[in-house]
Amino acid sequence: MIACKHLRFLPLFLICWTASLAQPVDNMQKLKPAALKKYGLGAARIGDTYSAIDLFSRYLELKPEDMKIAYERALQYRKARDYETAQSEFKKVYEADPEKYTKALFYQAQMMKMNGEYEESKKLFEKFQKEYRGAKDEKLYRNLTKNEIQGCKDAPDLINKPLDILIYHLDTSINKAHVEFSPVSLTESRMLYASLKSDQVNFYPGDSTHQMPVRKFYTAEKEGDDWKSKGEYEGPFNLENVQTGNGAFSPDGQAFFFTRCEKNEYDRVTCSIYRSELKDGSWSEPEKLPKPINHPKYTSTQPTVGSDSKSGSDILYFVSDRPGGKGGLDIWYAVYNAKRKEWQSPKRAGRLNTEGDEMTPSYDIETRTMYFSSDGYPSLGGLDIFKVPGEKSRWKKAENMGYPLNSSADDLYYTISKDRSEGFFVSNRPGGVALKNPTCCDDIYSLKWTKYIRVALAGKVFQVDDSSKVESIEQILQKGSNADQEKFKPVERAVVSLFLLDPSGEEEPMFIKSDTTDANGDYSITMEQGQDYRVTISKDEYLSRSNNFSTKSFTKSDTLKWNAPIVAIPPEPIIIRNIYYHFDKSNLTDSAMMTIDTTIYRIMTENPEIVAEISSHTDSRGTDTYNEKLSQKRAESVVKYLISKGIASERLKAKGYGESKPLAPNENPDGSDNPEGRAKNRRTEFKVIGRIKNVSDVNYKE
């Protein structure tokens, strides 16, 4: 069973829960080797890790030469996250038979890494790379080893540049000897979490009529600087015979998603996601989400809920070991169709997943960032906490959150508190409340960012009638007085959208969030420190306007100002000045291309939904036919240039009007030449002639 391959899945999936409620075998000292081996393998198969270790240990006292069982016992120590013992046991197995148990070298190096011995661990991983050849899973382990080596290389740099955070181990009224997990901030002073409340290993014989304890939801409240447990979470969530945990709220707070785990019809313990609604101040009876969210043969767990950046539909992210994944455990997502009142078929969350395991996702709608844990990326230890902006299957590059949030042990379940300067996470690092060994069990920790920087962008949006004056008006608005601003009409209900820019410039900007201007044209939007953004202001019947901002230089909280003028789409063409051609030629000059870059190209990129006509006009010199052909070629040269810069051809139409639409007389009333009139007639114009549908589908294609 995939979810039982690593003990760390025990608190996460609530599947292999018998491991912490070990089943001892009566009169173990009297059992013969064959029985010890049989019972030990059986205990290992059902996830009863501690019993398996005891049985294998007694067996090896009698049969010390059995390296197969010695290897199995080492694996059980690894599942129990007893890193020091596991490291020693894998070393013994490998040295006894290097050719047959080469993989023991990989696990020895891994345990050494999780003990913080990075340099020696790297050497063993490199040795494993050279020796592990020809196996069916060679490619998998080659990739895993590559990441492990990179993690060993990265660790010193991360440790030498620690995060500006303070970490606190929560009160022992919360953290017990068993695992605590899935902390969620309810308010700034109230927290929801799950736990099995016990301070010791309890033994229950297989035929016991006693009810085994289960994991349940609890709440804690902040009293001064300390968190104190306040008992079970009120509501219809906890059951006396069902493992429960992994809670998450919908963006509007009206729905609660969580996990229950039981044996299925195939006699396997699997987890399913349930949903409860807040009605008249009370939570409804939870309902199990239907197929295909929950699968009868596989686990669905650890829900977190986001929203689609365009449609606003809820997006359920969750973890599953179902077929079609990239690694053992992957993050999946499903979009809710409000009209049909049903969840769409789940899809794997793109490149966020690796050949390793991804779990404990927590989606932050404020920044459209996914926080999750993984052992498939280079890490300080086993599971590290990572963050990545994006949604559904479209994600930026995942970033390691850094030390000391991440340690050489497993670190997971990162969530942000309501005021955003604090948060919670779970770890089995040394120093927690231990059950069987110093790193056996997960505890909840709180953290506080000591230099949390809040950055905001605020300003007003005004209407401008003349597009040629936008730049100069914007300067007036930025530097001028209130009296200057009162000269312009504020725009109400304009949408101010924030996009995250890709540092490499290779990917399209990622939508984060938006605000809408009030009756005074005011808006305000928050940004994260250390990022590059694009802000776009748009409204129907107006040309959108964009500007780039960077928060990388901010060393303290501050507010940026941008008072932005936008232009109503005029019914008449907009004259684009300073687009020149050589005499009697249609090729664009360098100065013409610079003008296009700052005018037409900017308008087209800031307004991805519009279709425009690019027209060219001449004076009356030459024949009508000649002027029409020349103007058509000139208009086409502008269109070709825009297409070469990435503007879709279906959004552009070239039209040459020749001398048919003069703005001024080409000649004076006395028949003499009118140079000023001819100059006005030789022009390039831009006009919005339509809009394309489903532009968001094009921009956000997965």
Side-chain angles (χ1 to χ4, degrees):
M1 184 173 181
I2 292 176
C4 293
K5 287 184 178 178
H6 309 282
L7 184 88
R8 62 168 171 263
F9 300 156
L10 183 152
L12 312 178
F13 281 81
L14 310 176
I15 294 176
C16 311
W17 49 271
T18 53
S20 61
L21 301 170
Q23 310 284 323
V25 177
D26 293 336
N27 302 316
M28 186 184 300
Q29 297 296 322
K30 298 180 180 180
L31 291 177
K32 293 182 179 181
L36 291 165
K37 181 177 180 179
K38 177 182 176 181
Y39 289 140
L41 292 172
R45 185 170 56 254
I46 67 170
D48 191 350
T49 304
Y50 295 135
S51 289
I53 290 173
D54 290 342
L55 288 159
F56 287 152
S57 295
R58 174 55 183 159
Y59 172 83
L60 289 169
E61 289 177 7
L62 304 174
K63 297 284 185 177
E65 73 284 354
D66 192 338
M67 285 301 103
K68 182 176 181 180
I69 295 302
Y71 181 63
E72 288 295 329
R73 183 177 66 170
L75 289 174
Q76 295 303 309
Y77 277 120
R78 175 176 177 266
K79 291 178 183 179
R81 296 191 292 188
D82 187 344
Y83 304 138
E84 290 189 5
T85 305
Q87 177 182 328
S88 175
E89 293 302 313
F90 280 123
K91 182 176 185 293
K92 292 177 184 177
V93 172
Y94 171 75
E95 290 178 346
D97 194 340
E99 292 186 5
K100 187 174 182 179
Y101 295 102
T102 311
K103 201 177 288 186
L105 180 62
F106 173 87
Y107 291 127
Q108 179 192 350
Q110 190 181 66
M111 296 301 96
M112 187 175 287
K113 181 186 177 192
M114 298 190 76
N115 284 320
E117 301 174 38
Y118 295 113
E119 186 58 35
E120 291 303 313
S121 173
K122 181 171 74 71
K123 292 177 182 178
L124 289 188
F125 278 125
E126 291 170 342
K127 182 180 180 182
F128 173 78
Q129 272 186 324
K130 297 177 182 178
E131 295 184 8
Y132 197 64
R133 302 289 183 182
K136 292 182 179 180
D137 56 2
E138 178 187 346
K139 181 179 179 181
L140 170 63
Y141 274 85
R142 184 169 63 246
N143 292 337
L144 293 175
T145 303
K146 180 181 178 181
N147 278 330
E148 295 283 17
I149 291 173
Q150 188 61 51
C152 291
K153 293 178 179 178
D154 294 343
D157 290 336
L158 291 173
I159 293 172
N160 290 330
K161 297 178 182 178
L163 301 171
D164 293 318
I165 60 174
L166 298 175
I167 293 177
Y168 305 93
H169 182 258
L170 295 193
D171 185 89
T172 52
S173 67
I174 298 170
N175 287 317
K176 300 293 185 179
H178 286 272
V179 294
E180 285 71 42
F181 60 106
S182 65
V184 177
S185 179
L186 298 175
T187 67
E188 290 186 12
S189 59
R190 193 163 185 251
M191 181 258 288
L192 172 71
Y193 70 102
S195 175
L196 190 154
K197 294 290 185 181
S198 179
D199 285 318
Q200 61 184 355
V201 176
N202 299 308
F203 299 100
Y204 296 88
D207 60 351
S208 175
T209 57
H210 293 86
Q211 185 168 288
M212 296 174 64
V214 295
R215 291 167 175 79
K216 297 180 180 180
F217 282 120
Y218 297 86
T219 60
E221 293 182 4
K222 197 170 187 178
E223 299 178 355
D225 293 329
D226 298 322
W227 288 89
K228 301 287 186 180
S229 181
K230 296 299 177 179
E232 290 190 27
Y233 185 41
E234 295 181 359
F237 311 115
N238 294 329
L239 298 177
E240 293 305 317
N241 60 345
V242 178
Q243 304 287 338
T244 305
N246 293 307
F249 293 90
S250 61
D252 60 7
Q254 298 302 297
F256 181 64
F257 298 79
F258 66 99
T259 299
R260 283 177 175 169
C261 303
E262 300 177 275
K263 279 190 177 183
N264 63 14
E265 58 185 293
Y266 307 98
D267 202 34
R268 294 175 57 187
V269 179
T270 58
C271 300
S272 299
I273 298 172
Y274 286 73
R275 181 180 183 272
S276 175
E277 291 186 6
L278 188 61
K279 297 179 179 179
D280 300 324
S282 299
W283 290 104
S284 66
E285 187 64 28
E287 294 184 0
K288 184 177 179 179
L289 293 184
K291 297 179 182 179
I293 301 297
N294 289 313
H295 194 296
K297 293 184 180 180
Y298 300 95
T299 278
S300 298
T301 188
Q302 298 172 3
T304 184
V305 190
S307 66
D308 188 283
S309 59
K310 289 300 178 181
S311 68
S313 301
D314 282 352
I315 302 175
L316 177 68
Y317 298 94
F318 64 98
V319 172
S320 181
D321 59 350
R322 66 187 60 201
K326 190 173 182 180
L329 302 168
D330 289 292
I331 297 174
W332 297 70
Y333 75 91
V335 180
Y336 186 68
N337 188 318
K339 291 183 179 179
R340 297 182 179 180
K341 295 184 178 180
E342 64 182 19
W343 294 96
Q344 297 177 1
S345 296
K347 297 180 181 179
R348 187 159 46 86
R351 70 176 188 179
L352 181 151
N353 293 302
T354 70
E355 290 180 317
D357 297 301
E358 281 67 48
M359 58 191 73
T360 66
S362 175
Y363 194 77
D364 177 34
I365 292 181
E366 177 70 16
T367 60
R368 297 209 169 269
T369 297
M370 179 71 80
Y371 296 92
F372 67 102
S373 289
S374 173
D375 62 4
Y377 295 90
S379 69
L380 280 163
L383 291 166
D384 269 12
I385 299 167
F386 295 83
K387 67 176 181 178
V388 55
E391 65 179 13
K392 296 190 289 189
S393 61
R394 184 172 180 257
W395 306 94
K396 300 291 186 181
K397 184 178 179 181
E399 176 185 348
N400 189 299
M401 289 284 286
Y403 176 86
L405 177 60
N406 287 318
S407 67
S408 62
D410 286 333
D411 304 289
L412 50 152
Y413 280 115
Y414 178 83
T415 56
I416 299 173
S417 66
K418 293 298 182 180
D419 73 351
R420 304 192 66 79
S421 65
E422 299 181 2
F424 301 98
F425 71 101
V426 170
S427 180
N428 70 318
R429 63 187 61 190
V433 180
L435 183 68
K436 296 284 284 185
N437 65 75
T439 53
C440 71
C441 306
D442 291 322
D443 280 355
I444 299 175
Y445 293 78
S446 67
L447 66 96
K448 182 178 180 62
W449 295 91
T450 59
K451 297 180 181 179
Y452 184 73
I453 298 174
R454 303 176 190 271
V455 182
L457 176 70
K460 292 178 178 288
V461 178
F462 298 89
Q463 178 177 329
V464 178
D465 296 324
D466 188 344
S467 62
S468 66
K469 297 180 179 179
V470 166
E471 299 290 348
S472 59
I473 290 174
E474 185 169 333
Q475 292 178 6
I476 293 174
L477 293 172
Q478 296 301 106
K479 300 178 181 180
S481 63
N482 291 333
D484 293 323
Q485 296 181 7
E486 290 174 358
K487 298 176 184 177
F488 307 106
K489 178 182 177 181
V491 178
E492 184 180 5
R493 301 195 64 78
V495 178
V496 183
S497 300
L498 184 70
F499 295 84
L500 180 66
L501 297 178
D502 179 42
S504 68
E506 297 177 357
E507 298 184 13
E508 290 296 315
M510 175 75 70
F511 174 81
I512 302 297
K513 56 187 172 183
S514 63
D515 188 30
T516 303
T517 56
D518 60 18
N520 297 317
D522 291 321
Y523 72 89
S524 179
I525 199 164
T526 58
M527 301 184 291
E528 292 289 296
Q529 189 271 343
Q531 302 291 346
D532 291 324
Y533 293 101
R534 176 170 297 159
V535 179
T536 298
I537 299 175
S538 59
K539 185 178 180 180
D540 288 346
E541 308 307 322
Y542 285 80
L543 291 175
S544 299
R545 182 149 183 82
S546 297
N547 204 354
N548 290 350
F549 297 91
S550 178
T551 61
K552 290 182 176 179
S553 62
F554 281 72
T555 57
K556 62 180 181 179
S557 298
D558 203 352
T559 299
L560 289 167
K561 291 287 186 180
W562 184 34
N563 295 315
I566 60 175
V567 181
I569 297 176
E572 298 299 324
I574 300 171
I575 299 174
I576 308 299
R577 306 183 187 282
N578 302 323
I579 298 182
Y580 301 116
Y581 304 86
H582 293 297
F583 177 72
D584 203 31
K585 301 291 184 181
S586 60
N587 296 334
L588 293 171
T589 63
D590 290 342
S591 62
M593 287 187 282
M594 291 177 62
T595 298
I596 294 171
D597 288 345
T598 57
T599 55
I600 302 176
Y601 176 69
R602 179 172 178 176
I603 293 173
M604 295 300 291
T605 53
E606 291 179 345
N607 299 268
E609 77 286 356
I610 64 173
V611 178
E613 177 186 272
I614 309 298
S615 60
S616 181
H617 303 260
T618 68
D619 59 23
S620 61
R621 289 175 179 168
T623 66
D624 291 350
T625 301
Y626 177 82
N627 286 333
E628 185 174 333
K629 288 182 179 180
L630 178 62
S631 62
Q632 181 66 32
K633 289 181 179 180
R634 287 179 170 177
E636 289 174 354
S637 68
V638 176
V639 167
K640 288 179 181 178
Y641 177 68
L642 291 168
I643 292 174
S644 73
K645 291 181 68 65
I647 305 300
S649 59
E650 59 265 28
R651 298 180 57 208
L652 299 165
K653 180 181 179 181
K655 179 65 176 178
Y657 288 97
E659 59 184 270
S660 64
K661 293 188 175 184
L663 291 178
N666 290 291
E667 297 178 349
N668 294 315
D670 62 2
S672 60
D673 188 55
N674 182 4
E676 293 183 0
R678 291 186 183 279
K680 291 181 179 180
N681 293 331
R682 296 190 299 270
R683 67 194 187 277
T684 298
E685 293 179 339
F686 170 91
K687 182 179 181 181
V688 177
I689 60 174
R691 293 176 181 270
I692 59 175
K693 296 180 180 179
N694 301 323
V695 65
S696 62
D697 293 340
V698 175
N699 290 341
Y700 291 89
K701 182 182 291 186
E702 296 179 8

